[in-house]
Amino acid sequence: MPIQGANAGGLVNSYNEAPYTATQGQATYEVIRVPQYASATLNTGLTALSWNGSTGGVLAFDVAGVLNLNSATVNVDGLGFRGAGSIPTQFESVVNNNYVEFSYPLNSTTEADGSKGEGIAGTPLWVYDLPTMLDVNTGAEGYPNGSFGMGAPGNAGGGGMVFNTGGGGGGNGGSGGEGGNACCAQPTMGGLGGALYPASAIQMVMGGGGGHE
């Protein structure tokens, strides 16, 4: 059926879908049909499909009158933007017993340092799928100049850059926390926390995924 917008028909805003480039992360959008009920009473808990890079991650319905939760739970924890995945051969570069680190954005082909999480700025090459508890290769590097390293793109957390440093936390209503320090007197190079994204009445985003250690 046609989309009826506030501009006398069609979409109110423009939307873009494109793969990542050397200057911009992947852009995508999802169209969701939202049903409206005169009233509603929940008999079981509500959840959503997990976000897979193109669909899922959102639960939406509209109740014009009374909504009775009836002690049921509504839970979409961990079903939005995905945390960073890992690769089995991941390691740190060592020269003369000193760790050699790379710039904040790092291409995954170097097989060093931790992956960034997923967020509003794009999707990294490796993500962790919580429902299946598996690392997933998305098939594309996902962020300009690479999807590994401590830099935090948008609201996604950055990856740790020294042995045993933590990945940064994803941001949403507040900034994500910075990843913990390394052991063994190594430099402080944990992943940076994702940026906050203040919600408004007309715009919200999913919380950013955390980076990998």
Side-chain angles (χ1 to χ4, degrees):
M1 61 184 297
I3 296 174
Q4 297 296 318
N7 60 346
L11 297 173
V12 175
N13 302 306
S14 60
Y15 300 88
N16 180 48
E17 184 162 358
Y20 92 102
T21 67
T23 58
Q24 180 175 299
Q26 172 185 295
T28 188
Y29 63 89
E30 179 179 8
V31 177
I32 303 174
R33 181 177 181 271
V34 180
Q36 184 182 72
Y37 303 94
S39 63
T41 298
L42 301 186
N43 294 314
T44 60
L46 293 181
T47 187
L49 295 173
S50 61
W51 172 250
N52 64 8
S54 58
T55 61
V58 177
L59 173 65
F61 62 99
D62 184 8
V63 180
V66 176
L67 170 62
N68 182 2
L69 295 178
N70 199 26
S71 299
T73 59
V74 178
N75 185 2
V76 291
D77 285 353
L79 302 180
F81 285 135
R82 296 160 291 184
S86 64
I87 52 179
T89 55
Q90 184 176 329
F91 64 91
E92 305 291 341
S93 298
V94 181
V95 177
N96 296 328
N97 295 320
N98 293 316
Y99 287 90
V100 178
E101 299 305 332
F102 301 86
S103 59
Y104 284 8
L106 180 67
N107 193 287
S108 61
T109 56
T110 62
E111 298 183 346
D113 301 315
S115 173
K116 305 174 189 296
E118 181 180 38
I120 58 174
T123 299
L125 178 64
W126 287 93
V127 295
Y128 181 75
D129 183 64
L130 184 61
T132 62
M133 296 187 291
L134 294 173
D135 293 317
V136 176
N137 186 324
T138 65
E141 192 67 35
Y143 290 125
N145 300 316
S147 58
F148 279 47
M150 67 185 288
N155 65 342
M161 292 189 69
V162 174
F163 181 66
N164 277 353
T165 51
N172 196 6
S175 300
E178 186 170 346
N181 296 341
C183 72
C184 314
Q186 295 301 321
T188 302
M189 298 189 76
L192 301 179
L196 66 87
Y197 193 99
S200 69
I202 61 173
Q203 189 176 55
M204 295 184 295
V205 301
M206 297 186 290
H212 196 272
E213 64 179 0

